[in-house]
Amino acid sequence: PILMVLMLLFGGFYVNTDNMPSSIRWLASGSFVRWSFTALSVNEFEGLNIACPKRNHERGLEAGCVKTGEEVLERLSIGNITVLGALKRELALIGVMNLIAFICLKGNMPRFETLRPRIAEDGDH
């Protein structure tokens, strides 16, 4: 459960990566949630034109209006990452996690005494 909470926290949805201290920012690279959120965000917002609501024009709030999907991605701290790039990082993360799990399981594998052949006595066949 604690790993899932950390993955959610560093996923980029609740806390923007640029707002994290630089000493822990690298932890966001190991979050499945981050790469999934990145791929979905790029897929949704790339090349999108957003019309500002009419009430923003009436109130003079055009400065805070986001007009393109690229601006949304910039606010989410998603740079020039493509959907394919995010998926490749997700697959690499899955591979690394599986390798770590395999090494841990292999190291903790039960060890048994090897069986030696039975030495036949004079009356045995």
Side-chain angles (χ1 to χ4, degrees):
I2 190 74
L3 288 177
M4 193 61 202
V5 170
L6 288 174
M7 285 192 186
L8 286 172
L9 182 64
F10 293 114
F13 184 71
Y14 295 110
V15 179
N16 194 328
T17 313
D18 287 343
N19 294 336
M20 292 180 194
S22 59
S23 58
I24 63 169
R25 196 174 294 162
W26 63 272
L27 289 171
S29 304
S31 173
F32 291 108
V33 177
R34 176 181 185 220
W35 297 116
S36 300
F37 178 67
T38 299
L40 291 171
S41 297
V42 170
N43 185 55
E44 182 68 28
F45 292 114
E46 193 172 58
L48 183 68
N49 291 320
I50 304 169
C52 290
K54 191 174 186 179
R55 65 179 182 268
N56 283 8
H57 293 294
E58 294 168 358
R59 296 180 186 167
L61 299 174
E62 289 185 33
C65 185
V66 179
K67 296 180 179 163
T68 66
E70 281 71 21
E71 289 179 38
V72 174
L73 294 174
E74 189 64 35
R75 286 186 179 195
L76 293 173
S77 300
I78 299 173
N80 296 326
I81 299 174
T82 63
V83 174
L84 185 61
L87 291 177
K88 284 180 182 178
R89 290 179 180 163
E90 183 104 21
L91 287 173
L93 187 59
I94 290 170
V96 167
M97 293 293 184
N98 279 318
L99 182 64
I100 290 170
F102 176 76
I103 291 169
C104 289
L105 288 172
K106 188 77 170 163
N108 291 326
M109 193 169 78
R111 291 167 180 81
F112 300 100
E113 186 175 346
T114 56
L115 295 176
R116 293 176 292 219
R118 184 173 164 218
I119 301 171
E121 295 180 15
D122 289 338
D124 291 340
H125 293 294

